[in-house]
């Protein structure tokens, strides 16, 4: 038990520093005592002892006085020499112990300095070993966590550049193709060709707009106007806006609302933006004669909006990734319909920023999908 508590104390930096000072003092004093004792022994026969002997053997008072003076002088000299040598020994021993202990304590700090310099130079895989002192171990752990976060940010940055250039390339290649075909006289310079080119330009514009929103939403810089409002009229407005699109694809768009009103605390425009994305996706990924149902319930102090469709569904291995930037289950299908693959990423960040959540569920391909969007209820 005692050993355990001593080890525990030694693991704390403050006790290490206190003990190291104590060790230095003890080492110094020990050397001082040992040196004084040794010098006394070495000079004993020729020094003080001989003078004491002479004093004891003195016959007259003059001889006693002379022997006493010599004894005093010899005593002073011996004390001065032994103390000087012992002090020198103690200084050297103390210095040596101090250097050793300081190195022991400073080693992890030097390691952190070296590693942070390496990270600053772009070596994001740098990690430091965990020292066995509690405070330093905590610092090393935090340092390693920071290094890992930086590494992930760097990886995301590289992936983002790759994805963005890939996404930009598709519409640009299209426009280039139309222009080349027109220059070679393969395609006529008529309204139809311009309309097709215009579609590609619009896709580019949508992508750049989405990217701008994404970067701001991910950085937590999207301005939100958080207010108490009734979510039901917002839902009705969005469904009314998207109904023609659903009807054009022979889809039924239903709402199931059992409340008179449902006040939430969020940003109404951003709420509408998320709903447009979810219902728009449901329309996009549901084949003809399918059905999309939007319902609202209350669960655990949250308003829960569910967008369910009878569409193509999502395979279980794709479900964990659909909220990631640029992830598409079937890239050719999404791309041809103009999807950038970042709508859900933006929606989830918006839901989080408003204190809500956005999740997806599907029983698999062909079995439809359900998206749950929650918002905090107004108190
Ligand atoms: P996109 O613009 O490609 O639709 P999103 O971020 O909105 O991008 O969606 C990401 C991917 O999630 C889509 O490409 C699609 O594969 C899948 N997805 C989203 N909503 C649905 C849905 N209702 N049914 C099936 N798959 C969906």
């Amino acid at each position: 038990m005692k050993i355990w508590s001593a080890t525990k104390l030694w693991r704390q930096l403050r006790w290490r520093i206190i003990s190291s000072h104590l060790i230095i003092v003890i080492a110094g004093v020990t050397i001082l005592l040992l040196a004084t004792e040794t010098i006394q022994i070495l000079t004993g026969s020729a020094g003080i002892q001989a003078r004491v002997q002479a004093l004891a053997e003195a016959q007259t008072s003059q001889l006693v006085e002379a022997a006493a003076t010599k004894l005093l002088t010899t005593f002073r000299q011996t004390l001065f020499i032994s103390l000087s040598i012992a002090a020198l020994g103690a200084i050297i021993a103390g210095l040596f112990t101090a250097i050793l202990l300081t190195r022991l304590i400073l080693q992890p700090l030097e390691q952190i300095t070296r590693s942070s310099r390496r990270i600053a130079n772009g070596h994001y895989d740098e990690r430091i070993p965990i020292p066995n002192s509690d405070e330093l171990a905590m610092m090393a752990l935090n340092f390693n966590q920071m290094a890992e976060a930086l590494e992930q940010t760097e990886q995301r940055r590289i992936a983002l550049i790759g994805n963005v250039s890939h996404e930009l390339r598709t519409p640009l290649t299209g426009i280039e193709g139309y222009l080349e075909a027109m220059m070679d006289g393969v395609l006529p310079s008529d309204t139809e060709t311009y309309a097709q080119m215009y579609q590609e330009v619009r896709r580019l514009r949508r992508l750049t707009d989405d990217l701008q929103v994404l970067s701001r939403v991910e950085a937590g810089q999207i301005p939100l106007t958080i207010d108490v409002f009734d979510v039901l009229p917002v839902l009705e407005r969005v469904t009314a806006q998207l109904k023609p699109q659903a009807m054009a694809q022979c889809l039924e768009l239903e709402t199931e609302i059992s409340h008179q009103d449902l006040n939430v605390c969020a940003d109404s425009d951003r709420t509408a933006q998320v709903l447009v994305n979810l219902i728009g996706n449901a329309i996009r990924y549901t084949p003809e004669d399918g059905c999309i149902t939007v319902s609202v319930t209350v669960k655990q102090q949250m308003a829960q909006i569910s967008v369910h469709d009878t569409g193509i569904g999502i395979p279980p291995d794709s479900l964990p990734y659909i909220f990631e930037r640029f992830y598409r289950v079937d890239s050719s299908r999404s791309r041809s319909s103009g999807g950038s693959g970042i709508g859900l990423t933006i929606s989830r960040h918006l839901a989080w920023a408003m204190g809500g959540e956005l999740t997806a569920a599907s029983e698999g391909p062909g079995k439809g999908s359900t998206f749950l969007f929650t918002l905090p209820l107004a108190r």
Side-chain angles (χ1 to χ4, degrees):
M1 186 71 183
K2 267 183 188 158
I3 295 172
W4 177 80
S5 47
T7 330
K8 206 176 163 201
L9 284 183
W10 182 245
R11 285 174 64 86
Q12 293 178 1
L13 191 59
R14 78 192 82 143
W15 288 112
R16 275 193 187 193
I17 294 172
I18 292 170
S19 341
S20 64
H21 282 92
L22 261 177
I23 292 170
I24 294 162
V25 170
I26 291 168
V29 170
T30 314
I31 294 285
L32 193 70
L33 287 176
L34 279 176
T36 315
E37 193 58 31
T38 316
I39 292 159
Q40 291 284 13
I41 291 166
L42 289 178
T43 58
S45 56
I48 295 171
Q49 227 172 327
R51 300 292 174 212
V52 172
Q53 186 82 27
L55 185 63
E57 287 165 5
Q59 301 287 318
T60 64
S61 61
Q62 276 168 336
L63 280 176
V64 169
E65 202 176 314
T69 314
K70 277 185 181 168
L71 173 64
L72 204 64
T73 315
T74 312
F75 175 73
R76 278 199 192 125
Q77 278 173 351
T78 312
L79 195 68
F80 177 76
I81 294 168
S82 52
L83 274 181
S84 305
I85 295 174
L88 196 73
I91 289 171
I92 293 170
L95 210 66
F96 185 68
T97 325
I99 290 170
L100 260 181
L101 288 169
T102 314
R103 268 180 69 92
L104 200 77
I105 293 167
L106 286 188
Q107 224 168 13
L109 294 178
E110 282 165 2
Q111 172 78 53
I112 290 179
T113 312
R114 268 197 308 275
S115 298
S116 48
R117 209 170 296 139
R118 271 182 64 76
I119 288 180
N121 287 335
H123 301 277
Y124 296 103
D125 55 347
E126 179 79 10
R127 300 288 180 277
I128 51 173
I130 308 292
N132 62 1
S133 141
D134 285 350
E135 295 92 337
L136 292 176
M138 187 55 76
M139 189 165 79
L141 269 174
N142 289 342
F143 181 90
N144 284 348
Q145 269 173 11
M146 182 201 72
E148 198 166 326
L150 279 174
E151 190 180 9
Q152 281 172 6
T153 308
E154 178 63 5
Q155 279 168 357
R156 277 206 298 270
R157 191 182 67 84
I158 293 168
L160 179 67
I161 293 172
N163 283 329
V164 170
S165 47
H166 179 75
E167 295 300 324
L168 289 175
R169 201 174 298 127
T170 314
L172 280 176
T173 311
I175 296 168
E176 193 181 24
Y178 285 121
L179 285 173
E180 272 175 9
M182 283 199 303
M183 284 189 300
D184 294 346
V186 181
L187 269 180
S189 309
D190 59 9
T191 325
E192 201 184 321
T193 313
Y194 287 129
Q196 278 164 338
M197 280 174 64
Y198 179 65
Q199 282 305 320
E200 298 294 350
V201 172
R202 278 198 57 187
R203 189 192 288 202
L204 262 180
R205 144 80 56 200
R206 206 164 35 230
L207 179 64
T208 49
D209 287 350
D210 281 354
L211 280 172
Q212 195 180 19
V213 177
L214 178 72
S215 70
R216 290 174 69 192
V217 90
E218 281 194 334
Q221 286 173 352
I222 206 96
L224 291 176
T225 317
I226 303 287
D227 228 333
V228 173
F229 66 95
D230 185 358
V231 76
L232 303 181
V234 177
L235 194 61
E236 275 158 18
R237 207 176 59 234
V238 172
T239 42
Q241 178 191 331
L242 293 173
K243 205 146 201 153
Q245 201 181 323
M247 279 165 65
Q249 280 181 235
C250 304
L251 298 173
E252 231 175 282
L253 178 54
E254 294 174 346
T255 45
E256 282 176 6
I257 301 166
S258 51
H259 295 79
Q260 286 294 318
D261 51 36
L262 198 55
N263 284 340
V264 293
C265 186
D267 181 318
S268 61
D269 288 344
R270 298 298 175 190
T271 302
Q273 185 180 343
V274 175
L275 289 172
V276 167
N277 175 233
L278 296 182
I279 302 172
N281 273 352
I283 295 172
R284 192 181 294 163
Y285 299 110
T286 304
E288 264 184 28
D289 298 325
C291 181
I292 296 153
T293 316
V294 185
S295 57
V296 186
T297 49
V298 171
K299 231 178 206 174
Q300 292 167 346
Q301 295 297 304
M302 302 290 270
Q304 190 171 289
I305 305 165
S306 150
V307 180
H308 174 74
D309 65 61
T310 57
I312 60 167
I314 303 164
D317 52 339
S318 294
L319 257 182
Y321 305 108
I322 56 164
F323 292 101
E324 280 185 13
R325 301 185 279 214
F326 301 108
Y327 185 83
R328 302 171 176 111
V329 177
D330 178 353
S331 49
S332 56
R333 181 185 174 123
S334 318
R335 208 175 263 134
S336 63
S337 60
S340 58
I342 45 181
L344 284 179
T345 319
I346 294 174
S347 292
R348 184 178 247 187
H349 276 284
L350 287 177
W352 284 343
M354 293 188 284
E357 182 56 278
L358 179 59
T359 53
S362 172
E363 288 187 2
K367 295 194 176 152
S369 317
T370 306
F371 284 82
L372 285 183
F373 172 35
T374 62
L375 286 174
L377 283 178
R379 284 166 196 244

